[in-house]
């Protein structure tokens, strides 16, 4: 059985700025966005969610104070920022250590003066430092980082680790940006992969590394100053001990869940942040990086003996699509890939159902679950209606859909190696609101 998408002309409601609270149910919208605060773009995160969605939700459903939000896939912290701006409290978690660092920076008070003084000392010491340590090891490091760049990064890393602990989180975020910028990846590359059209990077010096770092610190301070001028109450943000959205332990409840779950089979978030993870010592080695990837919902790190089996979820539509992928009905991939992709899809939805069950337990009666996800994902030529099936999974746990709209994605191109017969691009994010019965 195949899922067919009707090709009808779509009529869009064109919106400038914020999404109106009285948006008609089922709308297709296109947004011309206002210039957001700089704090939203601080730190690297692929496929960032936009603040207009949590802002709309909180203005429509979160007006009763106090209102407590859960963000189980915190990412770059968009929902955290919006919750604080709308005077809501927010619990959050994420399995990815770089995301957790970025979110901590965005929910922490900093002194710009102290940061500038601290950075100045780091740069001065770095310029005088002679012999660089050798602390970071991972596969192909010499291909992706020039020798002088490695020295510069090692020296910066040493002096950041010696700096004031209260300033270190922001300095590490600036360092992470420096790592990405001074690598041999071409501009716009999301994943570190050798390609036929790879462009040679000009030679860089230690001093180039130091200058990039100083520039990223200054940009981060500008973002923090603009954000702190709004007088945000950072005490309204609380990181949960759990780092797994499938295991929301603790004795707490929330009024609403606002999130954008990971895209199925679209972005390898661990691979995308590979360099940052190693240089910030968030992973010990290549093996521990792969172990981190195995924790991701939607991971491809699945043992062969598992993916050789055809998984059954109990959802008839989903199971028929998984079988189409497994058998190569639409596209015959290289050996073992159809079976693997079928298992990835199976495991993704099984894990998300577990997450919905956990969420329902912590959600107060009458509480809301708002998620934004790509409407259709194409895997081995098979179109998976991801938003629809996630809605069905959530409803099977006791939630009830009350509202939805579709957002046109204007920048859908990700700089990824991709076979168009194998996969496709996502045209819309579907925003779905569910409610827990009293």
């Amino acid at each position: 059985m195949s899922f067919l998408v009707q090709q009808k002309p779509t009529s869009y409601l064109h919106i400038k700025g914020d999404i109106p609270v009285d948006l008609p149910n089922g709308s297709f919208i296109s947004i011309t966005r206002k210039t957001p605060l700089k704090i939203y773009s601080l730190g690297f995160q692929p496929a960032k969610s936009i603040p207009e969605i949590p802002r709309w939700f909180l203005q429509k459903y979160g007006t009763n104070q106090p209102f407590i939000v859960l963000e189980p896939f915190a990412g770059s912290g968009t929902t955290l920022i919006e919750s604080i701006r709308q005077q809501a409290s927010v619990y959050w978690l994420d399995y990815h250590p770089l995301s957790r660092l970025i979110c901590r920076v965005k929910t922490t008070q900093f002194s710009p003066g102290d940061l500038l003084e601290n950075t100045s000392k780091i740069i001065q010491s770095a310029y005088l430092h002679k012999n660089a340590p050798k602390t970071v090891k991972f596969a192909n490091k010499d291909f992706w980082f020039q020798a002088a760049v490695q020295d510069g990064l090692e020296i910066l890393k040493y002096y950041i680790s010696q700096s004031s602990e209260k300033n270190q989180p922001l300095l590490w975020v600036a360092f992470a940006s420096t790592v990405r910028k001074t690598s041999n990846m071409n501009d716009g590359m999301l994943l570190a992969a050798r390609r036929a059209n790879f462009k040679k990077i000009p030679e860089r010096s230690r001093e180039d590394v130091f200058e990039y770092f100083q520039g990223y610190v200054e940009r981060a301070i500008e973002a923090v100053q603009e954000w702190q001028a709004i007088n945000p109450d950072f005490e309204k943000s609380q990181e949960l001990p759990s780092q797994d959205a499938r295991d929301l332990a603790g004795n707490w409840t929330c009024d609403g869940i606002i999130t954008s779950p990971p895209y199925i089979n679209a972005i390898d978030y661990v691979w995308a942040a590979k360099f940052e993870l190693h240089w910030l010592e968030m992973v010990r080695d290549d093996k521990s990086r792969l172990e981190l990837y195995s924790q991701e919902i939607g991971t491809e790190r699945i043992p062969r003996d598992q993916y050789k089996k055809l998984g059954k979820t109990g959802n008839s539509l989903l199971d028929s699509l998984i079988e189409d992928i497994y058998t190569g009905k639409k596209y015959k991939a290289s050996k073992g890939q159809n079976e693997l992709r079928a298992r990835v899809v199976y495991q993704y939805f099984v894990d998300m159902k577990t997450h919905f069950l956990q969420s329902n337990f912590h959600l107060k009666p009458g509480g809301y679950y708002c998620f934004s996800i790509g409407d259709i994902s194409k895997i081995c030529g098979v179109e998976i209606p991801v938003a629809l099936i996630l809605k069905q999974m959530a409803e099977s746990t006791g939630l009830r859909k009350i509202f939805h709209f579709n957002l046109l994605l204007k920048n859908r191109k990700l700089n990824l190696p991709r076979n168009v017969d194998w996969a496709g691009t996502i045209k819309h994010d579907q925003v779905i609101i569910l409610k827990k019965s009293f």
Side-chain angles (χ1 to χ4, degrees):
M1 176 181 175
S2 296
F3 180 81
L4 300 176
V5 180
Q6 282 188 307
Q7 299 295 323
K8 293 182 178 179
T10 303
S11 178
Y12 292 97
L13 177 62
H14 295 279
I15 294 169
K16 291 185 178 181
D18 291 346
I19 304 169
V21 173
D22 60 353
L23 181 74
N25 192 13
S27 297
F28 282 79
I29 69 171
S30 171
I31 299 179
T32 300
R33 301 179 60 202
K34 296 178 181 176
T35 303
L37 293 173
K38 295 182 180 71
I39 196 71
Y40 290 108
S41 59
L42 182 63
F44 171 72
Q45 176 76 13
K48 291 182 180 181
S49 57
I50 63 171
E52 285 83 357
I53 293 173
R55 186 179 306 152
W56 167 85
F57 172 86
L58 288 165
Q59 290 173 351
K60 185 176 178 69
Y61 298 102
T63 54
N64 291 334
Q65 297 294 329
F67 194 87
I68 301 173
V69 170
L70 168 68
E71 168 51 289
F73 303 100
S76 63
T78 299
T79 294
L80 281 57
I81 295 168
E82 278 306 307
S83 296
I84 293 171
R85 290 186 73 180
Q86 302 297 323
Q87 306 302 312
S89 298
V90 58
Y91 296 121
W92 64 271
L93 66 143
D94 202 289
Y95 84 99
H96 200 298
L98 183 59
S99 290
R100 295 197 299 272
L101 173 65
I102 292 168
C103 288
R104 288 167 190 156
V105 168
K106 294 180 180 182
T107 55
T108 299
Q109 188 83 22
F110 290 99
S111 167
D114 285 349
L115 283 164
L116 286 170
E117 182 179 351
N118 213 162
T119 303
S120 178
K121 290 179 180 178
I122 290 171
I123 297 296
Q124 288 174 16
S125 299
Y127 271 101
L128 296 173
H129 199 102
K130 298 300 182 185
N131 298 319
K134 302 289 183 183
T135 63
V136 176
K137 296 179 181 180
F138 58 90
N140 298 318
K141 186 182 79 168
D142 290 341
F143 176 83
W144 291 109
F145 291 89
Q146 299 167 21
V149 169
Q150 292 184 36
D151 288 348
L153 291 173
E154 288 278 13
I155 292 166
L156 282 178
K157 189 163 77 74
Y158 171 76
Y159 285 110
I160 293 171
S161 67
Q162 302 299 310
S163 66
S164 169
E165 287 190 11
K166 65 181 179 180
N167 290 332
Q168 281 191 29
L170 185 142
L171 297 174
W172 286 125
V173 167
F175 179 76
S177 297
T178 307
V179 166
R180 175 162 289 269
K181 182 65 178 178
T182 58
S183 75
N184 286 340
M185 287 187 15
N186 292 161
D187 286 343
M189 283 180 65
L190 184 59
L191 303 179
R194 303 189 192 195
R195 306 184 198 173
N197 61 348
F198 187 83
K199 297 178 182 178
K200 182 175 174 58
I201 300 297
E203 292 296 319
R204 292 191 174 113
S205 65
R206 291 186 184 189
E207 291 74 21
D208 291 329
V209 177
F210 303 153
E211 288 176 12
Y212 276 123
F213 173 70
Q214 185 165 14
Y216 282 120
V217 172
E218 290 170 356
R219 286 184 226 174
I221 290 173
E222 286 179 10
V224 164
Q225 284 180 308
E226 182 187 43
W227 174 216
Q228 292 181 175
I230 299 174
N231 197 28
D233 183 357
F234 293 129
E235 291 187 1
K236 288 184 174 292
S237 170
Q238 181 178 333
E239 181 179 359
L240 292 176
S242 172
Q243 295 172 0
D244 189 343
R246 297 161 293 190
D247 184 16
L248 302 174
N251 184 24
W252 53 270
T253 57
C254 60
D255 300 288
I257 300 170
I258 313 172
T259 195
S260 179
Y263 280 63
I264 184 171
N265 200 50
I267 298 173
D268 181 340
Y269 293 93
V270 172
W271 184 6
K274 170 183 174 179
F275 298 152
E276 293 92 327
L277 289 169
H278 282 290
W279 278 102
L280 274 73
E281 296 188 27
M282 292 174 166
V283 293
R284 297 184 306 278
D285 48 32
D286 293 291
K287 181 181 177 182
S288 65
R289 188 187 75 249
L290 294 175
E291 288 171 352
L292 175 63
Y293 181 34
S294 67
Q295 300 173 29
E296 183 175 295
I297 291 180
T299 182
E300 297 176 14
R301 291 277 296 173
I302 298 174
R304 189 173 185 273
D305 62 336
Q306 288 186 24
Y307 72 70
K308 284 295 178 182
K309 301 173 184 176
L310 179 61
K312 296 287 185 180
T313 67
N315 180 299
S316 58
L317 170 60
L318 176 58
D319 287 344
S320 68
L321 297 172
I322 290 174
E323 186 172 354
D324 287 348
I325 297 171
Y326 187 89
T327 60
K329 182 176 181 179
K330 296 286 186 179
Y331 181 83
K332 285 281 188 182
S334 56
K335 185 179 179 180
Q337 284 298 309
N338 284 95
E339 294 95 334
L340 173 60
R341 301 295 164 176
R343 195 69 183 189
V344 168
V345 174
Y346 162 81
Q347 195 63 53
Y348 172 85
F349 285 104
V350 167
D351 287 346
M352 284 302 298
K353 185 171 181 179
T354 301
H355 162 68
F356 285 131
L357 284 165
Q358 289 277 306
S359 298
N360 202 1
F361 177 78
H362 291 281
L363 196 59
K364 295 178 184 177
Y368 301 94
Y369 192 118
C370 169
F371 71 86
S372 171
I373 194 76
D375 52 0
I376 304 288
S377 285
K378 186 179 178 183
I379 300 171
C380 290
V382 178
E383 292 186 333
I384 310 291
V386 179
L388 170 64
I389 295 174
L390 284 181
K391 176 193 76 75
Q392 293 174 347
M393 292 282 183
E395 288 176 331
S396 72
T397 69
L399 301 173
R400 175 176 57 89
K401 192 190 98 167
I402 60 171
F403 196 91
H404 80 280
F405 65 89
N406 304 273
L407 172 65
L408 177 66
L409 298 178
K410 296 182 179 180
N411 184 16
R412 295 180 286 128
K413 180 177 174 58
L414 294 174
N415 195 356
L416 297 169
R418 188 182 294 270
N419 184 323
V420 294
D421 294 323
W422 170 292
T425 54
I426 298 170
K427 186 172 183 180
H428 299 101
D429 263 358
Q430 191 165 131
V431 180
I432 293 177
I433 315 299
L434 302 111
K435 188 173 183 178
K436 180 176 179 177
S437 300
F438 285 90

